[in-house]
Coordinates of all heavy atoms in Angstrom, one line a residue:
E1 N -19.1 -26.5 -7.3 CA -19.1 -26.1 -8.5 C -18.8 -27.4 -9.5 O -17.7 -28.1 -9.2 CB -18.1 -25.0 -8.8 CG -18.0 -24.6 -10.2 CD -16.9 -23.4 -10.4 OE1 -16.8 -22.8 -9.4 OE2 -16.5 -23.3 -11.5
K2 N -19.6 -27.6 -10.5 CA -19.3 -28.7 -11.3 C -18.2 -28.5 -12.3 O -18.1 -27.4 -12.7 CB -20.6 -29.1 -12.2 CG -21.7 -29.6 -11.2 CD -22.9 -30.2 -12.0 CE -23.9 -30.8 -11.2 NZ -25.1 -31.3 -11.9
D3 N -17.5 -29.4 -12.6 CA -16.5 -29.4 -13.7 C -17.1 -29.5 -15.1 O -17.7 -30.6 -15.4 CB -15.5 -30.5 -13.3 CG -14.2 -30.4 -14.4 OD1 -14.2 -29.5 -15.2 OD2 -13.5 -31.4 -14.3
S4 N -17.0 -28.6 -15.9 CA -17.5 -28.5 -17.2 C -17.1 -29.6 -18.1 O -17.7 -30.2 -18.9 CB -17.4 -27.2 -18.0 OG -16.0 -26.9 -18.2
N5 N -15.9 -30.1 -17.9 CA -15.2 -31.2 -18.7 C -15.9 -32.5 -18.4 O -16.2 -33.4 -19.2 CB -13.7 -31.4 -18.4 CG -13.0 -30.2 -19.0 OD1 -13.2 -29.6 -20.1 ND2 -11.8 -29.9 -18.4
N6 N -16.2 -32.7 -17.1 CA -17.0 -33.9 -16.7 C -18.4 -33.9 -17.2 O -18.8 -34.9 -17.6 CB -17.0 -34.0 -15.0 CG -15.6 -34.5 -14.6 OD1 -14.9 -35.0 -15.3 ND2 -15.5 -34.3 -13.2
E7 N -19.0 -32.7 -17.3 CA -20.4 -32.6 -17.8 C -20.3 -33.0 -19.3 O -21.2 -33.8 -19.8 CB -21.0 -31.2 -17.6 CG -21.4 -31.0 -16.2 CD -21.9 -29.5 -16.1 OE1 -22.3 -29.0 -17.1 OE2 -22.0 -29.1 -14.9
D8 N -19.4 -32.5 -20.0 CA -19.1 -32.9 -21.5 C -19.0 -34.3 -21.7 O -19.5 -34.9 -22.5 CB -18.0 -32.0 -22.1 CG -18.4 -30.6 -22.2 OD1 -19.5 -30.2 -22.1 OD2 -17.2 -29.9 -22.4
L9 N -18.1 -35.0 -20.8 CA -17.9 -36.4 -20.9 C -19.1 -37.1 -20.6 O -19.4 -38.1 -21.2 CB -16.8 -36.8 -19.9 CG -15.3 -36.5 -20.3 CD1 -14.4 -36.8 -19.2 CD2 -14.9 -37.2 -21.7
D10 N -19.9 -36.7 -19.5 CA -21.2 -37.4 -19.3 C -22.2 -37.3 -20.5 O -22.8 -38.3 -20.8 CB -21.9 -36.8 -18.1 CG -21.1 -37.1 -16.7 OD1 -20.4 -38.1 -16.7 OD2 -21.4 -36.4 -15.8
K11 N -22.3 -36.2 -21.2 CA -23.1 -36.1 -22.3 C -22.7 -37.0 -23.3 O -23.3 -37.5 -24.1 CB -23.2 -34.6 -22.8 CG -23.9 -33.7 -21.9 CD -23.9 -32.2 -22.4 CE -24.5 -31.3 -21.3 NZ -24.3 -29.9 -21.8
F12 N -21.3 -37.0 -23.6 CA -20.7 -37.8 -24.7 C -21.1 -39.3 -24.4 O -21.5 -40.1 -25.3 CB -19.3 -37.6 -24.7 CG -18.6 -38.5 -25.8 CD1 -18.7 -38.3 -27.1 CD2 -17.9 -39.7 -25.3 CE1 -18.1 -39.0 -28.0 CE2 -17.4 -40.4 -26.3 CZ -17.3 -40.2 -27.6
D13 N -20.8 -39.8 -23.1 CA -21.0 -41.2 -22.7 C -22.5 -41.4 -22.8 O -22.9 -42.6 -23.4 CB -20.6 -41.4 -21.2 CG -19.1 -41.4 -21.1 OD1 -18.5 -41.5 -22.1 OD2 -18.7 -41.3 -19.9
N14 N -23.5 -40.6 -22.6 CA -24.9 -40.8 -22.7 C -25.3 -41.1 -24.2 O -25.9 -41.9 -24.5 CB -25.7 -39.7 -22.0 CG -27.2 -40.0 -21.9 OD1 -27.4 -41.1 -21.6 ND2 -28.0 -39.1 -22.2
K15 N -24.7 -40.2 -25.0 CA -24.9 -40.2 -26.5 C -24.5 -41.6 -26.9 O -25.1 -42.2 -27.7 CB -24.3 -39.0 -27.1 CG -24.6 -39.1 -28.7 CD -24.1 -37.8 -29.3 CE -24.3 -37.9 -30.9 NZ -23.6 -36.9 -31.6
K16 N -23.3 -41.9 -26.6 CA -22.7 -43.2 -27.1 C -23.5 -44.4 -26.7 O -23.8 -45.4 -27.4 CB -21.2 -43.3 -26.7 CG -20.4 -42.3 -27.4 CD -20.4 -42.3 -28.9 CE -19.5 -43.2 -29.6 NZ -19.6 -43.2 -31.0
R17 N -23.9 -44.3 -25.3 CA -24.8 -45.3 -24.8 C -26.0 -45.6 -25.5 O -26.6 -46.6 -25.9 CB -25.1 -45.1 -23.3 CG -25.7 -46.3 -22.6 CD -25.7 -46.1 -21.1 NE -26.3 -44.9 -20.6 CZ -25.8 -44.0 -20.0 NH1 -24.5 -44.0 -19.8 NH2 -26.3 -42.8 -19.6
I18 N -26.8 -44.5 -25.9 CA -27.9 -44.4 -26.6 C -27.8 -45.0 -27.9 O -28.5 -45.7 -28.5 CB -28.7 -43.0 -26.6 CG1 -29.3 -42.6 -25.2 CG2 -29.8 -43.0 -27.6 CD1 -29.6 -41.2 -25.1
E19 N -26.6 -44.5 -28.6 CA -26.4 -45.1 -30.0 C -26.2 -46.5 -30.0 O -26.6 -47.2 -30.9 CB -25.1 -44.3 -30.6 CG -25.5 -42.9 -31.1 CD -24.2 -42.1 -31.4 OE1 -23.1 -42.7 -31.4 OE2 -24.2 -41.0 -31.7
H20 N -25.5 -46.9 -28.9 CA -25.2 -48.4 -28.9 C -26.5 -49.2 -28.6 O -26.8 -50.3 -29.2 CB -24.2 -48.6 -27.7 CG -23.8 -50.1 -27.6 ND1 -23.1 -50.7 -28.4 CD2 -24.2 -51.0 -26.6 CE1 -22.8 -52.0 -27.9 NE2 -23.6 -52.1 -26.8
M21 N -27.4 -48.7 -27.8 CA -28.7 -49.2 -27.4 C -29.5 -49.4 -28.6 O -30.2 -50.5 -28.9 CB -29.4 -48.4 -26.3 CG -30.7 -48.9 -25.9 SD -31.6 -48.0 -24.6 CE -31.6 -46.5 -25.3
L22 N -29.5 -48.5 -29.5 CA -30.4 -48.4 -30.7 C -29.9 -49.4 -31.8 O -30.7 -49.6 -32.7 CB -30.5 -47.0 -31.2 CG -31.1 -46.1 -30.4 CD1 -31.1 -44.6 -31.0 CD2 -32.4 -46.4 -29.9
E23 N -28.8 -50.1 -31.6 CA -28.4 -51.1 -32.6 C -29.0 -52.5 -32.4 O -29.0 -53.3 -33.3 CB -26.9 -51.4 -32.4 CG -26.0 -50.2 -32.7 CD -24.6 -50.3 -32.5 OE1 -24.2 -51.4 -32.1 OE2 -23.8 -49.3 -32.7
Y24 N -29.7 -52.6 -31.2 CA -30.4 -53.9 -31.0 C -31.8 -54.1 -31.3 O -32.6 -53.0 -31.3 CB -30.2 -54.3 -29.5 CG -28.7 -54.4 -29.2 CD1 -27.9 -53.3 -28.7 CD2 -28.1 -55.7 -29.2 CE1 -26.6 -53.5 -28.4 CE2 -26.7 -55.8 -29.0 CZ -26.0 -54.7 -28.6 OH -24.6 -54.9 -28.4
K25 N -32.4 -55.3 -31.5 CA -33.7 -55.5 -31.8 C -34.6 -55.7 -30.6 O -35.8 -55.4 -30.6 CB -33.9 -56.7 -32.7 CG -33.2 -56.6 -34.0 CD -33.9 -55.6 -34.9 CE -33.1 -55.4 -36.3 NZ -33.7 -54.2 -36.9
I26 N -33.9 -56.0 -29.5 CA -34.6 -56.2 -28.2 C -33.7 -55.4 -27.3 O -32.6 -55.6 -27.1 CB -34.7 -57.7 -27.8 CG1 -35.3 -58.5 -28.7 CG2 -35.2 -57.8 -26.3 CD1 -35.4 -60.0 -28.4
I27 N -34.4 -54.5 -26.5 CA -33.8 -53.7 -25.4 C -34.5 -54.0 -24.1 O -35.7 -54.0 -23.9 CB -34.0 -52.2 -25.7 CG1 -33.3 -51.9 -27.1 CG2 -33.3 -51.4 -24.7 CD1 -33.5 -50.6 -27.6
I28 N -33.6 -54.4 -23.1 CA -34.1 -54.5 -21.7 C -33.8 -53.3 -20.9 O -32.7 -52.9 -20.8 CB -33.5 -55.8 -21.1 CG1 -33.9 -57.0 -22.0 CG2 -34.1 -56.0 -19.7 CD1 -33.1 -58.3 -21.6
I29 N -34.8 -52.8 -20.4 CA -34.7 -51.6 -19.4 C -34.9 -52.3 -18.0 O -36.2 -52.6 -17.7 CB -35.6 -50.5 -19.7 CG1 -35.5 -50.0 -21.1 CG2 -35.6 -49.4 -18.7 CD1 -34.3 -49.3 -21.5
P30 N -33.9 -52.5 -17.2 CA -34.2 -53.2 -15.9 C -35.0 -52.4 -14.9 O -35.6 -53.2 -14.0 CB -32.7 -53.4 -15.5 CG -31.8 -52.5 -16.2 CD -32.5 -52.1 -17.5
S31 N -35.1 -51.2 -15.0 CA -35.9 -50.6 -13.9 C -36.4 -49.1 -14.5 O -35.9 -48.7 -15.5 CB -35.1 -50.2 -12.6 OG -34.1 -49.2 -12.8
S32 N -37.4 -48.6 -13.8 CA -37.9 -47.4 -14.2 C -38.1 -46.6 -13.0 O -39.2 -45.8 -12.9 CB -39.3 -47.5 -15.1 OG -40.1 -48.2 -14.1
D33 N -37.1 -46.5 -12.2 CA -37.2 -45.9 -10.9 C -36.2 -44.7 -10.8 O -35.9 -44.2 -9.6 CB -37.2 -46.7 -9.8 CG -36.0 -47.5 -9.7 OD1 -35.1 -47.4 -10.6 OD2 -35.8 -48.4 -8.7
S34 N -35.6 -44.2 -11.9 CA -34.7 -43.1 -11.8 C -34.8 -42.3 -13.1 O -35.4 -42.7 -14.1 CB -33.2 -43.6 -11.7 OG -32.9 -44.2 -12.9
V35 N -34.3 -41.0 -13.0 CA -34.5 -40.1 -14.2 C -33.6 -40.7 -15.3 O -34.0 -40.7 -16.6 CB -33.9 -38.7 -13.8 CG1 -33.9 -37.9 -15.0 CG2 -34.9 -38.1 -12.7
E36 N -32.5 -41.3 -15.0 CA -31.6 -41.8 -16.1 C -32.4 -43.0 -16.8 O -32.3 -43.2 -18.0 CB -30.3 -42.5 -15.5 CG -29.3 -43.0 -16.5 CD -28.1 -43.3 -16.0 OE1 -27.5 -42.6 -15.1 OE2 -27.6 -44.4 -16.4
S37 N -33.1 -43.9 -16.0 CA -33.7 -45.0 -16.7 C -35.1 -44.5 -17.4 O -35.3 -45.1 -18.5 CB -34.2 -46.1 -15.6 OG -35.1 -45.5 -14.7
L38 N -35.6 -43.4 -17.1 CA -36.7 -42.8 -17.8 C -36.2 -42.4 -19.1 O -36.7 -42.5 -20.2 CB -37.4 -41.8 -16.9 CG -38.3 -42.1 -15.9 CD1 -38.9 -40.9 -15.2 CD2 -39.3 -43.1 -16.3
N39 N -35.0 -41.7 -19.2 CA -34.4 -41.3 -20.4 C -34.1 -42.4 -21.3 O -34.4 -42.4 -22.5 CB -33.2 -40.5 -20.1 CG -32.5 -39.8 -21.3 OD1 -33.3 -39.3 -22.2 ND2 -31.4 -39.9 -21.5
E40 N -33.5 -43.6 -20.7 CA -33.3 -44.7 -21.6 C -34.5 -45.3 -22.1 O -34.5 -45.8 -23.3 CB -32.3 -45.7 -20.8 CG -31.0 -45.3 -20.4 CD -30.2 -46.3 -19.7 OE1 -30.8 -47.2 -19.2 OE2 -29.0 -46.0 -19.4
M41 N -35.5 -45.3 -21.2 CA -36.9 -45.9 -21.7 C -37.3 -45.1 -22.8 O -37.8 -45.7 -23.7 CB -37.8 -46.0 -20.6 CG -39.0 -46.5 -20.9 SD -40.2 -46.5 -19.4 CE -40.3 -44.9 -19.0
K42 N -37.3 -43.8 -22.8 CA -37.8 -43.0 -23.8 C -37.2 -43.3 -25.1 O -37.7 -43.5 -26.2 CB -37.6 -41.5 -23.4 CG -38.1 -40.6 -24.5 CD -37.6 -39.1 -24.2 CE -36.3 -38.8 -24.2 NZ -35.7 -37.6 -23.9
W43 N -35.8 -43.3 -25.1 CA -35.1 -43.8 -26.4 C -35.3 -45.1 -26.8 O -35.4 -45.3 -28.0 CB -33.5 -43.6 -26.2 CG -33.2 -42.1 -26.3 CD1 -33.0 -41.3 -25.2 CD2 -33.1 -41.3 -27.3 NE1 -32.8 -40.0 -25.5 CE2 -32.8 -40.0 -27.0 CE3 -33.3 -41.6 -28.8 CZ2 -32.6 -39.0 -27.9 CZ3 -33.1 -40.4 -29.6 CH2 -32.8 -39.1 -29.2
A44 N -35.5 -46.1 -25.9 CA -35.8 -47.4 -26.3 C -37.2 -47.5 -27.0 O -37.3 -48.2 -28.1 CB -35.7 -48.4 -25.1
L45 N -38.2 -46.7 -26.3 CA -39.5 -46.8 -27.0 C -39.6 -46.2 -28.4 O -40.3 -46.5 -29.2 CB -40.5 -46.1 -26.0 CG -40.7 -46.9 -24.8 CD1 -41.5 -46.1 -23.8 CD2 -41.5 -48.3 -25.1
Y46 N -38.7 -45.1 -28.5 CA -38.6 -44.3 -29.8 C -37.9 -45.2 -30.8 O -38.2 -44.9 -32.1 CB -37.9 -43.1 -29.6 CG -37.9 -42.2 -30.7 CD1 -39.1 -41.5 -31.2 CD2 -36.7 -41.9 -31.5 CE1 -39.1 -40.7 -32.2 CE2 -36.7 -40.9 -32.6 CZ -37.9 -40.4 -33.0 OH -37.9 -39.6 -34.1
S47 N -37.1 -46.2 -30.5 CA -36.5 -47.0 -31.5 C -37.5 -48.0 -32.1 O -38.6 -48.1 -31.7 CB -35.4 -47.8 -30.7 OG -35.9 -48.8 -29.9
R48 N -36.8 -48.8 -33.0 CA -37.8 -49.8 -33.6 C -37.5 -51.2 -33.0 O -37.7 -52.1 -33.6 CB -37.4 -50.0 -35.1 CG -37.9 -48.7 -35.9 CD -37.5 -48.7 -37.4 NE -38.1 -47.6 -38.0 CZ -38.5 -47.6 -39.2 NH1 -38.2 -48.6 -40.0 NH2 -39.0 -46.4 -39.9
S49 N -37.1 -51.2 -31.8 CA -36.6 -52.4 -31.0 C -37.9 -52.8 -30.1 O -38.8 -52.0 -29.8 CB -35.6 -52.2 -30.1 OG -34.4 -51.8 -30.9
V50 N -37.9 -54.2 -29.8 CA -38.9 -54.5 -28.8 C -38.3 -54.3 -27.5 O -37.1 -54.5 -27.1 CB -39.1 -56.1 -28.9 CG1 -39.9 -56.6 -27.8 CG2 -39.7 -56.4 -30.3
V51 N -39.1 -53.5 -26.6 CA -38.6 -53.1 -25.3 C -39.3 -54.0 -24.3 O -40.5 -54.2 -24.2 CB -39.0 -51.6 -25.0 CG1 -38.6 -51.2 -23.6 CG2 -38.5 -50.8 -26.1
L52 N -38.4 -54.7 -23.4 CA -38.8 -55.4 -22.2 C -38.5 -54.6 -21.0 O -37.3 -54.2 -20.9 CB -38.0 -56.8 -22.2 CG -38.4 -57.8 -23.2 CD1 -38.0 -57.6 -24.6 CD2 -38.1 -59.2 -22.7
M53 N -39.5 -54.4 -20.0 CA -39.3 -53.6 -19.0 C -40.3 -53.8 -18.0 O -41.5 -54.1 -18.3 CB -39.2 -52.1 -19.3 CG -40.4 -51.4 -19.8 SD -40.2 -49.8 -20.4 CE -41.8 -49.2 -19.9
P54 N -40.1 -53.4 -16.7 CA -41.1 -53.5 -15.7 C -42.0 -52.3 -15.9 O -41.7 -51.3 -16.6 CB -40.5 -53.5 -14.4 CG -39.0 -53.0 -14.6 CD -38.8 -53.3 -16.1
R55 N -43.3 -52.5 -15.3 CA -44.3 -51.3 -15.4 C -43.6 -49.9 -14.9 O -43.0 -50.0 -13.9 CB -45.4 -51.6 -14.6 CG -46.5 -50.5 -14.7 CD -47.8 -50.9 -14.0 NE -48.5 -52.0 -14.7 CZ -49.3 -51.9 -15.7 NH1 -49.4 -50.7 -16.2 NH2 -49.8 -52.9 -16.3
P56 N -43.6 -48.9 -15.6 CA -42.9 -47.7 -15.1 C -43.4 -47.3 -13.6 O -44.7 -47.3 -13.3 CB -43.4 -46.7 -16.1 CG -43.8 -47.4 -17.3 CD -44.3 -48.7 -16.9
K57 N -42.6 -46.8 -12.7 CA -42.9 -46.5 -11.4 C -42.9 -45.0 -11.3 O -43.5 -44.4 -10.4 CB -41.8 -47.0 -10.5 CG -42.0 -48.6 -10.4 CD -41.0 -49.1 -9.4 CE -41.2 -50.6 -9.4 NZ -40.0 -51.3 -9.4
L58 N -42.1 -44.3 -12.2 CA -42.1 -42.8 -12.1 C -42.8 -42.3 -13.5 O -43.0 -43.1 -14.4 CB -40.7 -42.4 -12.1 CG -39.8 -42.7 -10.9 CD1 -38.4 -42.2 -11.1 CD2 -40.4 -42.1 -9.7
T59 N -43.1 -41.0 -13.5 CA -43.7 -40.4 -14.6 C -43.0 -39.1 -15.0 O -42.4 -38.5 -14.0 CB -45.1 -40.2 -14.5 OG1 -45.7 -39.8 -15.8 CG2 -45.6 -39.3 -13.4
S60 N -43.0 -38.7 -16.3 CA -42.4 -37.5 -16.5 C -43.3 -36.8 -17.7 O -44.3 -37.3 -17.9 CB -40.9 -37.7 -17.1 OG -41.0 -38.4 -18.3
F61 N -42.7 -35.9 -18.4 CA -43.4 -35.2 -19.5 C -43.9 -36.2 -20.6 O -44.8 -36.0 -21.3 CB -42.7 -34.1 -20.0 CG -41.5 -34.5 -20.9 CD1 -41.5 -34.6 -22.2 CD2 -40.4 -34.6 -20.2 CE1 -40.4 -35.1 -22.9 CE2 -39.1 -34.9 -20.8 CZ -39.2 -35.2 -22.2
V62 N -43.2 -37.4 -20.6 CA -43.5 -38.5 -21.7 C -44.8 -39.2 -21.2 O -45.3 -39.8 -22.1 CB -42.2 -39.4 -21.7 CG1 -42.5 -40.5 -22.7 CG2 -41.0 -38.7 -22.1
M63 N -45.2 -39.1 -20.0 CA -46.5 -39.7 -19.5 C -46.3 -41.2 -19.5 O -47.2 -41.8 -20.2 CB -47.7 -39.1 -20.3 CG -47.8 -37.7 -20.1 SD -49.5 -37.0 -20.8 CE -49.0 -37.1 -22.5
E64 N -45.5 -41.7 -18.9 CA -45.1 -43.1 -18.8 C -46.4 -44.0 -18.3 O -46.5 -45.2 -18.8 CB -43.9 -43.6 -18.0 CG -42.6 -42.9 -18.6 CD -42.3 -41.5 -18.3 OE1 -43.0 -40.8 -17.8 OE2 -41.1 -41.2 -18.9
E65 N -47.1 -43.3 -17.5 CA -48.3 -43.9 -16.9 C -49.3 -44.4 -18.0 O -50.2 -45.2 -17.7 CB -49.0 -43.2 -15.8 CG -49.7 -42.0 -16.2 CD -48.9 -40.7 -16.5 OE1 -47.7 -40.7 -16.3 OE2 -49.5 -39.7 -16.8
L66 N -49.3 -43.8 -19.1 CA -50.2 -44.2 -20.3 C -49.7 -45.3 -21.2 O -50.4 -45.7 -22.0 CB -50.5 -42.9 -21.2 CG -51.1 -41.6 -20.4 CD1 -51.2 -40.5 -21.3 CD2 -52.4 -42.1 -19.8
L67 N -48.5 -45.7 -21.0 CA -48.0 -46.7 -21.7 C -48.7 -48.2 -21.4 O -49.0 -48.3 -20.3 CB -46.4 -47.1 -21.5 CG -45.5 -46.0 -21.8 CD1 -44.2 -46.2 -21.3 CD2 -45.5 -45.6 -23.3
E68 N -49.1 -48.8 -22.4 CA -49.8 -50.1 -22.3 C -48.9 -51.3 -22.4 O -48.3 -51.4 -23.5 CB -50.9 -50.1 -23.1 CG -52.0 -49.0 -23.1 CD -53.1 -49.0 -24.1 OE1 -53.6 -50.2 -24.4 OE2 -53.5 -48.1 -24.6
P69 N -49.0 -52.3 -21.5 CA -48.3 -53.4 -21.6 C -48.7 -54.3 -22.8 O -49.9 -54.3 -23.1 CB -48.5 -54.2 -20.4 CG -49.0 -53.3 -19.4 CD -49.7 -52.1 -20.3
F70 N -47.8 -54.9 -23.7 CA -48.0 -55.6 -24.7 C -48.6 -54.8 -25.9 O -48.8 -55.3 -27.0 CB -49.0 -56.8 -24.6 CG -48.5 -57.7 -23.5 CD1 -49.0 -57.9 -22.2 CD2 -47.4 -58.6 -23.8 CE1 -48.6 -58.8 -21.4 CE2 -46.9 -59.6 -23.0 CZ -47.4 -59.6 -21.7
V71 N -48.6 -53.5 -25.7 CA -48.9 -52.6 -26.8 C -47.6 -51.8 -27.1 O -47.0 -51.7 -28.3 CB -50.1 -51.6 -26.6 CG1 -50.2 -50.6 -27.7 CG2 -51.3 -52.4 -26.4
H72 N -47.1 -51.1 -26.0 CA -45.9 -50.3 -26.1 C -44.6 -51.0 -25.6 O -43.5 -50.6 -26.1 CB -46.1 -49.0 -25.3 CG -47.3 -48.2 -25.7 ND1 -48.4 -48.1 -25.0 CD2 -47.5 -47.5 -26.9 CE1 -49.3 -47.4 -25.7 NE2 -48.7 -47.0 -26.8
Y73 N -44.8 -52.0 -24.9 CA -43.6 -52.7 -24.3 C -44.1 -54.1 -24.0 O -45.3 -54.4 -23.6 CB -42.9 -51.9 -23.2 CG -43.9 -51.8 -22.0 CD1 -43.6 -52.7 -20.9 CD2 -44.7 -50.7 -21.9 CE1 -44.4 -52.6 -19.8 CE2 -45.5 -50.7 -20.7 CZ -45.4 -51.4 -19.7 OH -46.1 -51.3 -18.5
V74 N -43.2 -55.0 -23.6 CA -43.4 -56.3 -23.1 C -43.1 -56.1 -21.6 O -41.9 -55.8 -21.2 CB -42.5 -57.4 -23.7 CG1 -42.7 -58.9 -23.1 CG2 -42.8 -57.5 -25.2
P75 N -44.1 -56.5 -20.8 CA -43.8 -56.2 -19.3 C -43.0 -57.3 -18.6 O -43.0 -58.4 -19.0 CB -45.2 -56.2 -18.7 CG -46.1 -57.0 -19.7 CD -45.5 -56.8 -21.0
L76 N -42.1 -56.8 -17.7 CA -41.4 -57.8 -16.9 C -41.7 -57.6 -15.5 O -42.1 -56.6 -15.0 CB -39.9 -57.4 -17.1 CG -39.2 -57.5 -18.3 CD1 -37.7 -57.0 -18.2 CD2 -39.1 -59.0 -18.8
K77 N -41.8 -58.8 -14.8 CA -42.0 -58.8 -13.4 C -40.8 -58.2 -12.6 O -39.7 -58.0 -13.3 CB -42.3 -60.2 -12.9 CG -43.5 -60.8 -13.5 CD -43.8 -62.2 -12.9 CE -45.1 -62.8 -13.7 NZ -45.2 -64.3 -13.3
D78 N -40.9 -57.9 -11.4 CA -39.8 -57.3 -10.8 C -38.6 -58.1 -10.6 O -37.5 -57.7 -10.5 CB -40.3 -56.8 -9.3 CG -41.2 -55.6 -9.4 OD1 -41.1 -54.8 -10.4 OD2 -41.9 -55.3 -8.5
N79 N -38.8 -59.5 -10.6 CA -37.8 -60.5 -10.7 C -37.2 -60.7 -12.2 O -36.4 -61.6 -12.3 CB -38.1 -61.8 -10.0 CG -39.2 -62.4 -10.7 OD1 -39.7 -62.0 -11.7 ND2 -39.6 -63.6 -10.1
Y80 N -37.6 -59.9 -13.2 CA -37.2 -59.9 -14.5 C -37.8 -61.1 -15.3 O -37.3 -61.5 -16.3 CB -35.8 -59.9 -14.8 CG -35.2 -58.7 -14.1 CD1 -34.4 -58.7 -12.9 CD2 -35.5 -57.4 -14.6 CE1 -33.8 -57.5 -12.3 CE2 -35.0 -56.2 -14.0 CZ -34.1 -56.3 -12.7 OH -33.7 -55.2 -12.3
N81 N -38.8 -61.8 -14.7 CA -39.4 -62.9 -15.5 C -40.5 -62.3 -16.4 O -41.0 -61.2 -16.1 CB -40.2 -63.9 -14.6 CG -39.1 -64.8 -13.9 OD1 -38.0 -65.1 -14.4 ND2 -39.4 -65.2 -12.7
L82 N -40.8 -63.1 -17.4 CA -41.9 -62.5 -18.4 C -43.3 -62.8 -17.7 O -43.5 -63.6 -16.9 CB -41.7 -63.1 -19.7 CG -40.6 -62.8 -20.5 CD1 -40.4 -63.5 -21.7 CD2 -40.6 -61.3 -20.9

């Protein structure tokens, strides 16, 4: 059984992390291979920031496979080089 207090803290921490992320003009998403990183990527792409990230490896309802490098984001190689 999950502790509801921990779930509330996780939601609060996630909201604060997203608010903090949206303060920047450049956002680096280091990977796209987890649900959490897909959520961060969604918020980063929704922001007015330049997003640097590797090509998405997973897909969700946001249809990450349709994102175009140098149109929607600046692609990074797996070793984080441009």
Side-chain angles (χ1 to χ4, degrees):
E1 181 178 335
K2 290 187 177 181
D3 183 5
S4 64
N5 289 332
N6 285 342
E7 287 179 19
D8 290 341
L9 286 175
D10 288 343
K11 289 177 187 176
F12 177 77
D13 288 343
N14 189 41
K15 181 179 178 184
K16 294 307 264 179
R17 188 171 56 245
I18 289 169
E19 288 175 359
H20 181 72
M21 178 177 60
L22 295 177
E23 294 175 5
Y24 294 92
K25 298 294 179 192
I26 297 173
I27 301 173
I28 299 173
I29 304 295
S31 71
S32 59
D33 56 0
S34 71
V35 174
E36 184 176 315
S37 63
L38 288 177
N39 187 41
E40 290 177 357
M41 179 178 56
K42 176 183 70 174
W43 282 103
L45 292 168
Y46 187 69
S47 73
R48 293 183 175 202
S49 304
V50 174
V51 178
L52 284 79
M53 64 182 213
R55 181 176 294 277
K57 294 180 177 131
L58 298 178
T59 188
S60 70
F61 67 93
V62 181
M63 298 186 290
E64 291 83 0
E65 72 275 6
L66 298 179
L67 296 174
E68 296 179 40
F70 298 107
V71 174
H72 301 108
Y73 65 97
V74 177
L76 293 175
K77 295 178 183 173
D78 288 336
N79 61 4
Y80 303 111
N81 287 327
L82 293 175

